[in-house]
C-alpha cells in the first residue's frame, strides 16, 4: 500500500463510502488541480472526481432532479454522512457510478452524434427551466472593461519575459493574443437581451458517453451554473463537428444543429447576432493563454482549438453574426403574424384551451383551464385593445395568439394612469419552444409603441421576459396585485408614478367555475394537430 500513489484516496473512499477499493487509476486530468479517477472494487467500478474547489454544493440535488426528468447522467453516491460531497484536506470529492460506453475525441463526432448532442443539450436546458436558478456565470460584470486592460497588461509582461528568454515562438503567440484582446475589447454586450439558461456544466464532446445509443452526460468539474444559451450551443458544436477542426464554422453545417437545439431552447434575434462575438470573447478571456506547458493532453487540444477558432473569428465574426441573424429571420419566414378576425374566434379559443390545459397538466397536475373563457370575455370588455390582438399562423394553421387589454396604475395621489397588459398568450403545445411566443411578443410590443401606448405591465416569469426588454415591476417602484410582475416602458419615465399600484380589469377575476365548465363543453381536443413538425 505504501508504494501506491493513490493509497490515501483508497482509504478516503473506504472511510467515507464504506467501499473497499482494490485498484485506482487516473482517468482524466482536466486541470492541474482537478482530476477524475476510475476505482475498482471486488464487485463494481466507480468514478471519483477530485476538485480543488466546489462552487456549487448541491450537486447531488441537481443530479437527482435531472434523473427525475429523464436526463441520462451518472448516479451520485452518498457518503456515510448522507452528503454527496466529501471535504478532505481542503479538497472536494464526489463518487459517481461508472458508465461503460464509447467516448469521442474533439472533432471526431459522426453526423448522428452531432445532431443528437444538439437535441440532448436542448433537453437538459429545457429540463432545468423548472429547477431553481443556479449561480450566474457571464453576468454583466464579466464584461468589465478593466478586464481588457488587465488582460493586455498581463500578456505584455509575458511578452517581455519571453523576449528575455529569446523564445521567439512564444513571443509570436502572445502577440497574436494581444491582437485578439484589442479586437474583443471593442465589443459591447447587453446582458438583459441575452437568454440565460441553467446548465449542468460544460456540455461538449469530451463529457458525453454513448451507451446503448443513449447519451450519458457527465460533468468533470463542478460547473453547474446559469449561463448564456448562445455560448453553450456554439461551443458544443465547434468542439464536436469535424469541419471545425481548424477553427472554421460553416453556417450551413451549423444551421441544422442550431435548429434542432432551438426546438427545446428558443434563441432570440439578439442571441443569434451576438453568439459569435461572445464565443470570440470566451476564447480570449476564458480559455488558456500561452505558454501551454502545464496543460494535460485533453486541455492542450482545447487550447489549440480555441486559438484556431479565435484566429478565424478575428476575420469572420461579423460575417458569422450576419449569417446567424439571417437564419433567425428564415426560421420565422413561414410564420405569419396578423390581426385576429371574427372568423378566428373559435380556433383561437380552442388553441388557448389546448395550450393552458397542457401547461396545467405539467405544472399543476391537471385541471380545467379558464383562459379560453377569458379570451372570449375580453373581446367584449371595454378594456379590450383589438389593434393588438394578433395570431401566429404557420402553414395555414393558427398556432399562436396574444391578446392585449388596458390596465391601470394608481399613484399615491389617487390618479389612475392607463397602461397595457397582455395575456393570455398561447402557443399550440406541439409548436412550443420554437420562438413563436417570442415572435408575438416582439411584434406586438413594437406595434404598441408605434400606436402611442406608454407602457406594458404583465404577470409573467422573471427569467423569460427580460429578453424582450421587461424588468421587474418593483424596479419601477410599482406594487402589483400578484407576483411575479414585469414591466416595460414604451416611452421614457412612463412608469415613474410615486406609490404606483398596478391592477387589471375585473374581467380577469370574474370567471365562475360553473360558467367555465359550461363554456368548455363546446371544444374538442386539438392534440397539437396542424403544426408542421
Amino acid at each position: 500500500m505504501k508504494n501506491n500513489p493513490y493509497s490515501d484516496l483508497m482509504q478516503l473512499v473506504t472511510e467515507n463510502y464504506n467501499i473497499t477499493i482494490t485498484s485506482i487509476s487516473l482517468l482524466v486530468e482536466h486541470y492541474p488541480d482537478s482530476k477524475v479517477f476510475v476505482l475498482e472494487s471486488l464487485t463494481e467500478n466507480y468514478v471519483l472526481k477530485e476538485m480543488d474547489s466546489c462552487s456549487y454544493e448541491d450537486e447531488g440535488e441537481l443530479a437527482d432532479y435531472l434523473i427525475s426528468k429523464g436526463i441520462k447522467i451518472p448516479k451520485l453516491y452518498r457518503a456515510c454522512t448522507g452528503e454527496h460531497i466529501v471535504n478532505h484536506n481542503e479538497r472536494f470529492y464526489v463518487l459517481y457510478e461508472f458508465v461503460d460506453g464509447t467516448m469521442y475525441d474533439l472533432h471526431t463526432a459522426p453526423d448522428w452524434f452531432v445532431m443528437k448532442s444538439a437535441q440532448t443539450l436542448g433537453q437538459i436546458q429545457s429540463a432545468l427551466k423548472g429547477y431553481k436558478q443556479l449561480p450566474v456565470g457571464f453576468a454583466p460584470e464579466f464584461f468589465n472593461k478593466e478586464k481588457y486592460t488587465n488582460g493586455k497588461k498581463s500578456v505584455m509582461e509575458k511578452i517581455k519575459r519571453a523576449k528575455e528568454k529569446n523564445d521567439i515562438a512564444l513571443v509570436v503567440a502572445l502577440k497574436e493574443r494581444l491582437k485578439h484582446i484589442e479586437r474583443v475589447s471593442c465589443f459591447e454586450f447587453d446582458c438583459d437581451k441575452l437568454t440565460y439558461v441553467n446548465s449542468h456544466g460544460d456540455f461538449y464532446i469530451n463529457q458525453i458517453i454513448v451507451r446503448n445509443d443513449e447519451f450519458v452526460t457527465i460533468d468533470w468539474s463542478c460547473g453547474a451554473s446559469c449561463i448564456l444559451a448562445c455560448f453553450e450551443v456554439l461551443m458544443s458544436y465547434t468542439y464536436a463537428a469535424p469541419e471545425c477542426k481548424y477553427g472554421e464554422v460553416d453556417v450551413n453545417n451549423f444551421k441544422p444543429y442550431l435548429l434542432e437545439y432551438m426546438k427545446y431552447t428558443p434563441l432570440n434575434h439578439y442571441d443569434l447576432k451576438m453568439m459569435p462575438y461572445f464565443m470570440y470573447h470566451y476564447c480570449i478571456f476564458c480559455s488558456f493563454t500561452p505558454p501551454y506547458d502545464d496543460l494535460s493532453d485533453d486541455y492542450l487540444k482545447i487550447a489549440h482549438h480555441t486559438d484556431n477558432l479565435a484566429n478565424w473569428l478575428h476575420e469572420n465574426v461579423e460575417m458569422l453574426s450576419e449569417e446567424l441573424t439571417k437564419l433567425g429571420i428564415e426560421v420565422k419566414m413561414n410564420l405569419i403574424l396578423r390581426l385576429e378576425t371574427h372568423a378566428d374566434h373559435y380556433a383561437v379559443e380552442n388553441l388557448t384551451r389546448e395550450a393552458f390545459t397542457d401547461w396545467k397538466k405539467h405544472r399543476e397536475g391537471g385541471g380545467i383551464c379558464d383562459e379560453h373563457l377569458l379570451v372570449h370575455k375580453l373581446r367584449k370588455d371595454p378594456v379590450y385593445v383589438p389593434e393588438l390582438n394578433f395570431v401566429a399562423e404557420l402553414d395555414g394553421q393558427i398556432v399562436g395568439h396574444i391578446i392585449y387589454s388596458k390596465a391601470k396604475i394608481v399613484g399615491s395621489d389617487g390618479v389612475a394612469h392607463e397602461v397595457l397588459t397582455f395575456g393570455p398568450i398561447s402557443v399550440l403545445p406541439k409548436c412550443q419552444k420554437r420562438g413563436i411566443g417570442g415572435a408575438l411578443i416582439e411584434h406586438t410590443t413594437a406595434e404598441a409603441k408605434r400606436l402611442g401606448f406608454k407602457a406594458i405591465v404583465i404577470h409573467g416569469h422573471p427569467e423569460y421576459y427580460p429578453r424582450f426588454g421587461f424588468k421587474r415591476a418593483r424596479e419601477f417602484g410599482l406594487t402589483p396585485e400578484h407576483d411575479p410582475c414585469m414591466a416595460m416602458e414604451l416611452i421614457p419615465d412612463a412608469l415613474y408614478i410615486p406609490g404606483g399600484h398596478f391592477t387589471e380589469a375585473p374581467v380577469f377575476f370574474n370567471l365562475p367555475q360553473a360558467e367555465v365548465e359550461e363554456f368548455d363543453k363546446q371544444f374538442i381536443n386539438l392534440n397539437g394537430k396542424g403544426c408542421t413538425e
Side-chain angles (χ1 to χ4, degrees):
M1 184 71 74
K2 290 183 179 180
N3 295 326
N4 186 341
Y6 303 128
S7 58
D8 289 345
L9 288 181
M10 296 171 72
Q11 184 177 351
L12 179 144
V13 173
T14 300
E15 291 177 353
N16 287 277
Y17 295 93
N18 198 24
I19 298 172
T20 300
I21 300 302
T22 57
S23 70
I24 183 170
S25 59
L26 180 67
L27 176 63
V28 177
E29 185 174 2
H30 272 234
Y31 290 99
D33 294 318
S34 180
K35 301 175 182 178
V36 181
F37 302 90
V38 174
L39 286 60
E40 294 184 18
S41 72
L42 292 175
T43 56
E44 59 185 302
N45 295 344
Y46 304 88
V47 171
L48 182 69
K49 181 170 70 174
E50 176 187 297
M51 302 163 286
D52 67 335
S53 64
C54 186
S55 60
Y56 184 68
E57 297 183 359
D58 295 328
E59 188 167 353
E61 177 189 322
L62 176 63
D64 291 342
Y65 179 86
L66 286 169
I67 291 170
S68 74
K69 296 297 181 181
I71 303 298
K72 305 294 182 182
I73 64 170
K75 179 177 69 175
L76 271 70
Y77 294 95
R78 291 184 183 273
C80 298
T81 60
E83 300 295 327
H84 286 101
I85 298 175
V86 173
N87 185 347
H88 178 71
N89 290 338
E90 298 184 353
R91 307 284 289 176
F92 298 87
Y93 298 88
V94 181
L95 191 66
Y96 284 99
E97 159 196 18
F98 178 84
V99 179
D100 191 11
T102 303
M103 296 187 71
Y104 292 88
D105 202 357
L106 261 64
H107 308 120
T108 64
D111 291 344
W112 66 266
F113 182 105
V114 173
M115 292 306 296
K116 188 168 179 63
S117 66
Q119 179 188 77
T120 304
L121 174 59
Q123 288 172 338
I124 291 172
Q125 293 178 353
S126 181
L128 286 173
K129 287 178 182 177
Y131 193 70
K132 62 186 178 184
Q133 182 175 302
L134 294 168
V136 177
F138 310 136
E141 56 267 23
F142 177 78
F143 303 100
N144 193 311
K145 294 299 183 182
E146 187 177 348
K147 175 186 293 186
Y148 306 138
T149 304
N150 292 339
K152 184 177 179 180
K153 181 179 178 181
S154 175
V155 172
M156 291 179 72
E157 289 174 352
K158 287 185 177 183
I159 291 174
K160 181 180 178 180
R161 291 194 295 270
K163 286 181 177 179
E164 291 171 353
K165 295 179 180 179
N166 200 31
D167 191 339
I168 304 303
L170 180 55
V171 170
V172 171
L174 289 169
K175 285 186 175 180
E176 279 290 297
R177 181 55 58 101
L178 202 58
K179 175 186 74 175
H180 291 310
I181 292 174
E182 295 282 0
R183 183 90 163 86
V184 170
S185 65
C186 298
F187 299 162
E188 297 286 344
F189 298 92
D190 187 342
C191 294
D192 290 337
K193 293 182 179 179
L194 291 165
T195 301
Y196 283 79
V197 292
N198 278 341
S199 169
H200 180 219
D202 291 341
F203 179 92
Y204 63 94
I205 191 169
N206 286 115
Q207 302 203 144
I208 298 171
I209 300 172
V210 181
R211 179 182 64 183
N212 300 328
D213 296 327
E214 290 183 329
F215 274 18
V216 181
T217 60
I218 52 182
D219 178 20
W220 293 133
S221 63
C222 203
S225 59
C226 182
I227 64 172
L228 295 177
C230 66
F231 156 67
E232 194 163 35
V233 65
L234 182 55
M235 180 195 72
S236 63
Y237 176 77
T238 64
Y239 282 33
E243 58 265 28
C244 297
K245 184 175 182 179
Y246 300 106
E248 299 179 1
V249 180
D250 186 330
V251 72
N252 291 321
N253 290 329
F254 181 42
K255 178 178 177 179
Y257 186 94
L258 189 56
L259 291 176
E260 181 64 26
Y261 165 82
M262 287 172 65
K263 290 179 182 179
Y264 304 90
T265 303
L267 298 178
N268 61 41
H269 175 88
Y270 192 71
D271 291 324
L272 295 171
K273 176 183 176 181
M274 300 308 295
M275 184 185 294
Y277 290 101
F278 183 80
M279 191 70 210
Y280 191 6
H281 187 283
Y282 176 86
C283 289
I284 302 309
F285 287 104
C286 300
S287 192
F288 307 98
T289 303
Y292 303 136
D293 301 336
D294 296 329
L295 290 182
S296 65
D297 288 344
D298 287 318
Y299 274 93
L300 186 59
K301 292 175 183 176
I302 290 175
H304 290 321
H305 168 64
T306 52
D307 280 348
N308 288 334
L309 186 57
N311 290 334
W312 186 82
L313 286 169
H314 183 268
E315 303 297 329
N316 297 281
V317 66
E318 290 93 348
M319 178 276 294
L320 184 57
S321 176
E322 290 173 4
E323 290 298 320
L324 291 176
T325 302
K326 289 178 185 176
L327 173 60
I329 295 171
E330 288 174 16
V331 169
K332 296 176 181 178
M333 269 183 61
N334 294 327
L335 190 69
I336 298 173
L337 303 181
R338 61 170 176 81
L339 287 169
E340 182 193 74
T341 68
H342 186 273
D344 299 324
H345 285 190
Y346 180 79
V348 164
E349 290 162 10
N350 210 11
L351 159 68
T352 305
R353 175 183 183 271
E354 192 77 3
F356 279 90
T357 298
D358 184 77
W359 184 84
K360 292 192 175 187
K361 175 183 175 183
H362 291 96
R363 296 292 182 94
E364 300 178 2
I368 189 171
C369 75
D370 57 16
E371 285 77 7
H372 54 329
L373 176 59
L374 176 58
V375 169
H376 184 79
K377 286 193 164 191
L378 271 172
R379 296 196 196 95
K380 303 174 183 178
D381 197 278
V383 298
Y384 172 53
V385 184
E387 300 91 342
L388 293 171
N389 184 14
F390 275 82
V391 297
E393 191 174 83
L394 186 63
D395 298 330
Q397 172 78 19
I398 294 176
V399 297
H401 173 252
I402 189 169
I403 188 169
Y404 277 73
S405 54
K406 295 174 184 177
K408 61 184 178 181
I409 298 173
V410 180
S412 55
D413 57 2
V415 176
H417 302 260
E418 183 182 274
V419 295
L420 285 175
T421 190
F422 64 71
I425 176 172
S426 310
V427 176
L428 199 63
K430 283 195 175 183
C431 295
Q432 291 172 6
K433 301 176 182 176
R434 301 188 185 184
I436 295 172
L440 282 166
I441 294 169
E442 288 177 340
H443 180 77
T444 54
T445 53
E447 185 69 4
K449 184 175 183 178
R450 187 188 69 81
L451 291 170
F453 289 97
K454 296 179 180 180
I456 304 171
V457 184
I458 59 168
H459 293 294
H461 204 291
E463 292 180 12
Y464 178 71
Y465 284 98
R467 71 189 65 176
F468 305 109
F470 285 87
K471 298 179 181 179
R472 288 269 195 173
R474 296 188 187 279
E475 291 185 33
F476 296 100
L478 303 179
T479 57
E481 291 183 349
H482 307 287
D483 257 336
C485 189
M486 310 298 292
M488 172 197 286
E489 290 183 329
L490 300 178
I491 63 172
D493 298 325
L495 293 176
Y496 180 68
I497 303 171
H501 178 74
F502 170 69
T503 182
E504 295 169 295
V507 64
F508 284 90
F509 311 102
N510 186 25
L511 300 169
Q513 185 67 17
E515 186 179 358
V516 172
E517 292 176 359
E518 185 63 29
F519 182 73
D520 191 66
K521 291 178 182 179
Q522 62 184 294
F523 294 96
I524 60 170
N525 284 328
L526 294 174
N527 293 320
K529 294 179 180 178
C531 178
T532 302
E533 290 297 324

